[in-house]
Amino acid sequence: IHTLYMGHCNQDGITDAAFVNLKGTIHTLHISFCNQNTITDKAFENLKGTIHTLYMSYCCQDTITDKAFENLKGTIHTLN
């Protein structure tokens, strides 16, 4: 998967575990308007070293903190 669009996606069945399958492949991730508490900082560990672009506009969940962005150092090019 090069680009994954999950904007407005609010399904409790999607958890951090889903991001394991994106490890090493994902280039662009859209999670704008995504307000599900089942996605946490841990999901971003799997994006380390691969993600280039991340769209998070209006992402209002308190389960994603500053810690998530530590995993994006050196790889992220565009953050919205």
Side-chain angles (χ1 to χ4, degrees), residues 4 19-21 29 34-35 37 55 63 67 71 73 79:
L4 179 61
F19 288 78
V20 171
N21 298 314
L29 177 63
C34 182
N35 299 314
N37 291 328
Y55 295 97
T63 56
K67 185 176 180 180
N71 294 300
K73 285 182 182 176
L79 176 62

Side-chain angles (χ1 to χ4, degrees), residues 20-53:
V20 171
N21 298 314
L22 301 177
K23 193 172 192 172
T25 63
I26 193 80
H27 179 273
T28 303
L29 177 63
H30 294 262
I31 57 172
S32 298
F33 296 95
C34 182
N35 299 314
Q36 59 192 81
N37 291 328
T38 56
I39 297 175
T40 70
D41 293 339
K42 187 170 179 143
F44 289 81
E45 291 176 13
N46 297 298
L47 305 178
K48 188 175 187 175
T50 61
I51 192 149
H52 182 268
T53 306

